Structure formats: structure tokens, C-alpha cells
Amino acid sequence: MPDFLLELLSEEIPARMQPRARDDLARLFEAEIAKAGLKAEAIETFSTPRRLALIARNLPDQTEAVRDELKGPRTSAPPQALEGFLRKTGLTQDQLTERDGVYYAVIDKPGRATSNVLAEAIPALIRAFPWPKSMRWGAASASTESLRWVRPLHGIVALLGGEIVPFEIDGIESGAETVGHRFHHPGRITIGSADDYAAKLRACHVLVDHQERETIIAEGAGTIAAQAGLTLVRDEALLRENAGLTEWPVPLLGSFDPSFLEVPPEVIQLTMATNQKYFALLAPPRSGEDQLAPAFICTANVEPRDGGATIVAGNQKVLAARLSDAKFFWEHDLKVPLEDQAKKLDQIVFHEKLGTVADKVDRVAKLARWLVEEGIIKSSPE
């Protein structure tokens, strides 16, 4: 029983869309082949910034033969009813079976080759794929009937065992060729089967397993931090995002001017994580309290020849500009007392029927006081 490999090669897939895309790929594939009576023993999905892939384990060589029985009109029914039933089934009257005064059509359907089923199922899957945002491209994009994908689709690998499952969708023909890492191995490579898919891409600096990339980033960042006498601030969402942005992740340590630590640590961490996808680090605690360190860990998508010095220098320069902006806005906000800031809420409409943001704040405050006075929520000690 052969395995089936499907890879959809495209331009960069946003990291935030990849987890759902893996789930949707498995769900749609299972649903499409189930229409023909096929079921895989197991389905594995993979994603990198440039590809979405699936391996279906141990598919049968062909579907099972089935016998459908359709109930028709009674033998005493008007001729028009029988004629309609014959048109529907494509049979003649002598091919019908009569039981208890009722006509039945018994239709035997032979098994179909799994390759033929897949050749119909995959284009249907691609066209029905529910990306949160998708696009059309090229000359065909002038028509609303053209193919849509999250980013321009460049290639399709479809292998059942070691054989190509032939089909074409919007000029893209299925085959056995894909590409390696954009910089380390930009040339085309040929996949033999599902069994050598991950190994061949690994040799070309592509790790297709997102969980493996997450592990490399987490363990590498933790080791680098420990070697510098620092502690990594774990952020699972940021870890998944970094894994979704890289095909060959390499964690690197950088630093920033300690003067930026005058800004609240929450602001620094938010700036690093949201804008730059950096991990924050903690210095050895003083007086039992954690202190943010003037350092960060970024994740490169290449194996740097200079140990990462050039990449780190570039990232430090960008982060300095980001933190300068954050520091400016923080210091600017401190010049205005909080009471004066709150007065500005009267100028912001929350909802046309619910008043301003200031009205909302007042309602929430009254609700909080009522909850405490009624004993529904206990107030915390001062």
C-alpha cells in the first residue's frame, strides 16, 4: 500500500496562517478522497514559509467495487414515471430488477485506481482551500474564475509511491520537482517518494517539520542565553512565529544600549516581539527580582559564514531605531499627568449608541464597585 506525497510550493506563506493551513489541508484531503471511498491510515502535514505539504500513509491501490441499488416507480405507475427513472439511471427497462411490484436499478461500479481519484481530488482541494486571505496573479488574474492561493503558487509535487499523479491546474502541472533553501540551495531537486521527501530537503537546508524548527529555536536560544549568563523569556506564540518564518533557523544573540532600560520592560518586550520577532532575555536577578537584560535573540534563516556578526549588527541597528521611538513616546506621555490623559477619553466615541470611551470607563467602574459591594467578587487587600 503506497504513501502519497503532496507539496504545494508558493511564495512566502504568512507564519500566522500556517497552523490552520496544515489542519485545513488534512481535513480537505480526507474529505475529498472519502467521496471515492478511500481512507489513509495516517495523515501528516508540514509547512515552511514556501511550502505546504501532506503525506498520506498506506493508501490502497484502488477503490473497492460497489453496488448501488436505486428504488424506482411501481410497475403499475404511468409510463412517464418509468421513462424518467430510466433517464436518471441510464439503463433500459430490461436491465431493471422487479421485486414486489417495484422496479429497482442495480448498478455495479468497478473499483478506480487511486491515482485517478487523487488526480481529481487535489485540484478540487486547491480550489476550495479556505485561506483567510488569498490572491490571484499573472495574466489569468483578469478573470474571477482564475486560481486563488495565499501567494502565487509555483509548483506541485504529487507522488503516489514513486509515480507522479498527473494533473494540471491553471497551467501548473504536477510533478516530482521542488526547490531547496532560497539561498543555500536555490536549484531544483527531484523527490523520489514520500519516504525521501524530508531527507532530501534537509540536505538542501530545508527542515519541513515545523515542530523540529521550533525545538531548534527554543533549545538554541536557551543555550545561547545560558552561555551569556542570561535567561530566555519563553514566548510560545513568538516561538511558533519564528518557526513559521524560517526554513533553516539559526538563533543569534544581539544587544542594545542599556540606556533604553529606562523604558518599562513591557514596552521593550512588546517592541521586540511584535515589530522584530526577537526574544527577550533576563539578567541575573537582583534583590530577588528579575531584570530585563539589554540583549535579545533573533532567528536567522541562513547559516551565516561570519558567525552571524553581520546579521546581528543589522538587527541591532534596526532595534535601536525601534527603541528610540518607544522611548520618545514614553517620555512624551510622562509629560502629561494621567488625570489629563483620562480627560481625552471624552473625545473618543466608543459606540454611537453607547457614548464615549469615558462613558464606558465609568460604567465598568460602577459595575466593578457593585460586584465588590454585593460580595460577588472579593476586593484585594491594599
Side-chain angles (χ1 to χ4, degrees), residues 62-291:
Q62 65 177 26
T63 63
E64 294 183 359
V66 295
R67 168 170 287 191
D68 289 340
E69 184 175 275
L70 301 177
K71 184 178 180 180
R74 298 189 65 83
T75 55
S76 58
Q80 294 86 344
L82 177 58
E83 292 171 3
F85 183 62
L86 294 175
R87 285 195 300 271
K88 175 183 175 182
T89 59
L91 302 177
T92 59
Q93 185 173 353
D94 61 337
Q95 293 175 306
L96 299 180
T97 299
E98 181 185 340
R99 288 201 306 269
D100 300 325
V102 177
Y103 284 119
Y104 289 88
V106 179
I107 303 173
D108 291 318
K109 295 182 179 179
R112 297 179 61 200
T114 297
S115 179
N116 293 339
V117 174
L118 293 171
E120 295 177 2
I122 303 307
L125 178 157
I126 292 173
R127 290 193 179 278
F129 207 87
W131 291 107
K133 290 185 178 180
S134 59
M135 61 181 290
R136 300 191 299 269
W137 60 92
S141 63
S143 169
T144 57
E145 299 301 316
S146 63
L147 178 64
R148 300 179 68 94
W149 200 245
V150 60
R151 296 291 186 271
L153 188 63
H154 291 311
I156 301 172
V157 173
L159 293 170
L160 183 63
E163 300 297 322
I164 294 173
V165 176
F167 60 87
E168 178 268 339
I169 179 169
D170 270 31
I172 303 172
E173 294 185 0
S174 60
E177 287 191 343
T178 185
V179 295
H181 191 281
R182 186 181 293 278
F183 303 110
H184 289 302
H185 198 292
R188 302 195 71 81
I189 58 176
T190 301
I191 305 298
S193 68
D195 292 334
D196 69 0
Y197 176 63
K200 281 196 171 181
L201 283 176
R202 182 187 297 274
C204 297
H205 283 76
V206 175
L207 300 176
V208 295
D209 188 344
H210 60 280
Q211 293 181 334
E212 182 180 3
R213 298 198 303 276
E214 287 182 21
T215 299
I216 289 173
I217 296 170
E219 293 181 352
T223 299
I224 293 172
Q227 291 172 346
L230 305 173
T231 303
L232 178 71
V233 177
R234 288 296 296 255
D235 185 330
E236 297 303 321
L238 185 59
L239 179 61
R240 288 192 296 272
E241 188 167 15
N242 272 269
L245 291 169
T246 55
E247 290 193 322
W248 192 260
V250 179
L252 299 170
L253 177 66
S255 62
F256 58 86
D257 191 331
S259 66
F260 287 123
L261 293 177
E262 297 173 7
V263 179
E266 295 84 357
V267 175
I268 296 175
Q269 288 180 255
L270 183 65
T271 299
M272 290 198 299
T274 304
N275 298 120
Q276 301 304 127
K277 319 306 177 190
Y278 299 160
F279 293 93
L281 299 169
L282 298 177
R286 298 178 182 177
S287 304
E289 294 185 4
D290 290 329
Q291 300 283 336

